[in-house]
Amino acid sequence: MNNRLISANQPLMQTAVTSLRLYNYRNYQSVKLLTNNKPVLLTGLNGAGKTNILEAISLLTPGRGLRQAKINEIEKIGATQPWAISAEVNSSFGAIKIGTGRDYNSERRLVRINGSDLKSQSQLAEYLSVVWLTPQMDRLFIDGASARRKFLDRLIYGFDPAHAGRCYAYEKALRQRRKILRDNIGDDIWLNALEAQLSERGIAIAVARREIAGKLDLACKDNEGSFPGANIKIIGNLEDMLDQMPALSAEENFRRNLKDNRRHDAQSGGTSTGAHKSDMLVHHVEKNIPASLCSTGEQKALLVAIIIAHTKLQITEKNQMPILLLDEVAAHLDATKRDELFSTLLGLGIQAWITGTDIASFNALRGNINAFQVENAGVISIEFN
């Protein structure tokens, strides 16, 4: 499907969700939002369902969305029909309709583009790039490496949609190898095949991560505004291999490593080497300290700086825009940084979906935003001029 993607010589097209319908989704029985290419503000009390709408948009892309929810956790309590999401999207290659939801007869997630079923949800990355910041991600630099890997991988989708499929296939092969070793099946032929898949896809994942981390590092080092500069680096045993040898040699080395460590991995129940062991390190440039040692506000500012740098890179290198989901983004940002963020979004022409309880925090967006009040499991369009 890569032939559907735009070329660098085509004019920049804005990406935007122009219609969103939810059915039996979280606290909503049925709700519809109509928007344009401008940013979208969802305001209302805590617990009204603002984040649920952002989560729905995040499910228009591969994965389990911004909450990492299981299929059966999304359905409205008491619903007799499965949950579903329907969206109309202005994309890089025209207007499309995306639908997703739970299969009526199973716990499987169905995905459709313009009414046609997709074989895998990983194909969604070819149609839409969505990046999000949530309050839970305020701990991204403190919590485990898994969250940072997933954060970086989602940024890569905007540059390389096939990365989503590689990550899914890698994780699947990893689970299968662990099961064979755990159950002591001793199937060398199947293990060899799985380890060949892991080595090929694992090195490809590591190469992509190194490339994007390097680009983000250059883009984030020098920030002319109030947001801090950031040093970004991806580390891990596969990255160490790539520092020492070409990718093909690293792939063979990784495959041998997997074979040599079968007994150890069987005893530990894990896999000691691979793309699942990588980590993203971020440093605050001006203070020259790890992001993990920064204040909560500084960590939030670093995250925003990385997201903005990524957005600008997508525009300049891919001629396409991501959709940003900014949940309670005003929290932990001072007024200067908040207004600078909103000014940047308007200047870039990005459609960002933003939530907040205090509408006054978004005065810098007055007259340039679709505003909605979320209450009583409903959404009402409001004036914000």
Side-chain angles (χ1 to χ4, degrees):
M1 289 191 179
N2 288 338
N3 61 333
R4 301 176 68 92
L5 298 177
I6 61 173
S7 72
N9 294 324
Q10 289 180 289
L12 177 66
M13 292 185 65
Q14 189 173 39
T15 305
V17 175
T18 57
S19 174
L20 181 69
R21 297 185 181 189
L22 310 181
Y23 305 92
N24 294 326
Y25 189 94
R26 298 290 187 181
N27 65 319
Y28 299 105
Q29 181 178 358
S30 179
V31 69
K32 179 179 180 180
L33 289 83
L34 296 177
T35 69
N36 52 34
N37 290 344
K38 293 180 181 179
V40 180
L41 172 63
L42 303 171
T43 186
L45 299 176
N46 290 327
K50 303 184 299 295
T51 305
N52 293 343
I53 294 172
L54 266 58
E55 180 192 36
I57 298 172
S58 73
L59 287 169
L60 302 177
T61 62
R64 289 163 55 179
L66 59 80
R67 283 198 179 104
Q68 291 294 292
K70 297 179 180 178
I71 296 293
N72 59 4
E73 295 174 344
I74 297 174
E75 214 134 277
K76 178 177 172 60
I77 296 174
T80 58
Q81 297 291 322
W83 65 268
I85 303 166
S86 175
E88 295 179 12
V89 179
N90 289 336
S91 72
S92 299
F93 40 87
I96 59 172
K97 294 182 179 180
I98 303 178
T100 188
R102 181 177 69 82
D103 181 13
Y104 185 83
N105 298 311
S106 71
E107 295 301 313
R108 191 167 65 95
R109 178 182 167 198
L110 301 176
V111 180
R112 291 182 180 136
I113 298 290
N114 293 332
S116 299
D117 292 336
L118 296 186
K119 293 182 179 179
S120 169
Q121 60 173 278
S122 64
Q123 292 175 269
L124 286 170
E126 299 183 24
Y127 295 88
L128 191 62
S129 173
V130 179
V131 179
W132 53 81
L133 287 180
T134 68
Q136 291 72 27
M137 292 172 65
D138 290 347
R139 294 183 54 85
L140 186 74
F141 301 124
I142 300 173
D143 291 338
S146 175
R148 290 186 288 276
R149 286 195 301 271
K150 289 178 180 177
F151 173 74
L152 182 61
D153 285 337
R154 184 154 296 280
L155 298 185
I156 295 171
Y157 294 172
F159 295 90
D160 181 8
H163 188 73
R166 285 193 294 266
C167 290
Y168 176 80
Y170 178 88
E171 291 295 334
K172 182 179 179 181
L174 200 64
R175 291 192 300 270
Q176 291 174 329
R177 179 178 181 269
R178 286 171 180 165
K179 186 177 188 305
I180 291 174
L181 293 176
R182 183 190 66 219
D183 296 344
N184 195 27
I185 295 174
D187 189 338
D188 284 351
I189 295 177
W190 185 225
L191 279 172
N192 288 338
L194 287 173
E195 288 166 358
Q197 293 178 39
L198 285 169
S199 59
E200 178 183 352
R201 288 170 178 139
I203 292 299
I205 290 168
V207 168
R209 287 173 177 169
R210 277 163 49 101
E211 180 181 358
I212 297 303
K215 289 181 177 180
L216 286 173
D217 179 64
L218 291 174
C220 290
K221 277 183 178 177
D222 300 315
N223 198 315
E224 296 178 356
S226 62
F227 286 93
N231 283 129
I232 302 170
K233 184 180 181 181
I234 186 80
I235 63 168
N237 38 43
L238 296 192
E239 286 75 18
D240 290 342
M241 291 182 194
L242 289 168
D243 285 340
Q244 301 168 15
M245 62 189 76
L248 285 176
S249 299
E251 188 177 313
E252 176 60 24
N253 193 47
F254 181 25
R255 188 193 61 76
R256 278 198 311 270
N257 187 289
L258 288 168
K259 186 173 183 178
D260 293 344
N261 281 296
R262 287 177 185 175
R263 179 175 295 181
H264 175 273
D265 291 345
Q267 293 173 347
S268 69
T271 305
S272 53
T273 304
H276 59 291
K277 294 292 186 178
S278 301
D279 195 3
M280 182 181 74
L281 301 184
V282 177
H283 271 66
H284 190 298
V285 170
E286 289 79 11
K287 290 193 169 183
N288 193 28
I289 59 173
S292 59
L293 300 181
C294 293
S295 70
T296 302
E298 289 170 333
Q299 291 184 29
K300 184 66 165 280
L302 283 166
L303 272 174
V304 172
I306 292 171
I307 291 296
I308 294 301
H310 168 265
T311 299
K312 291 179 178 178
L313 280 172
Q314 264 199 263
I315 291 172
T316 56
E317 294 196 5
K318 299 292 290 185
N319 255 13
Q320 63 187 25
M321 296 182 179
I323 291 175
L324 302 185
L325 307 179
L326 306 176
D327 193 16
E328 298 292 345
V329 71
H332 305 306
L333 290 182
D334 58 45
T336 299
K337 289 184 176 64
R338 192 170 60 230
D339 290 349
E340 182 181 327
L341 168 61
F342 298 152
S343 176
T344 300
L345 295 177
L346 293 176
L348 293 174
I350 296 294
Q351 190 192 54
W353 290 64
I354 308 166
T355 69
T357 55
D358 181 12
I359 196 169
S361 299
F362 306 95
N363 283 335
L365 292 169
R366 281 185 182 273
N368 294 291
I369 197 167
N370 301 279
F372 296 90
Q373 181 75 28
V374 181
E375 59 184 7
N376 300 323
V379 181
I380 305 169
S381 178
I382 60 175
E383 294 292 329
F384 190 51
N385 296 317

